[in-house]
Amino acid sequence: MAKALLGYVGGPDPRLLAEMRRLQQRVQDLESELVRMQAENDSLQAVADHEQLLRMDAAQAVPAYS
């Protein structure tokens, strides 16, 4: 009786399995997107750091007049 109440009669529900597969695929897609965005963010941060160093070097190269 308990199995019937929980939906175990007749094996796994095909709709439930399909939904689980769809959700697993969605998780994989989101994980891939996260990795791609982290790599893009790292690249942008490297460019920003480089530009900041160039500005600092330029500011130090200009003599200060008193």
Side-chain angles (χ1 to χ4, degrees), residues 15-57:
R15 293 171 297 178
L16 182 61
L17 293 175
E19 180 68 5
M20 189 168 56
R21 280 191 298 271
R22 186 188 71 79
L23 290 172
Q24 288 171 338
Q25 183 61 51
R26 180 70 175 140
V27 167
Q28 287 178 347
D29 293 345
L30 289 171
E31 288 173 340
S32 296
E33 182 71 8
L34 177 62
V35 168
R36 186 192 66 76
M37 291 179 81
Q38 286 173 332
E40 183 179 349
N41 187 55
D42 291 346
S43 296
L44 292 170
Q45 187 62 51
V47 169
D49 291 345
H50 181 71
E51 289 177 356
Q52 184 178 9
L53 286 174
L54 291 176
R55 283 193 300 272
M56 288 172 47
D57 287 345

Side-chain angles (χ1 to χ4, degrees), residues 62-66:
V62 174
Y65 294 104
S66 306

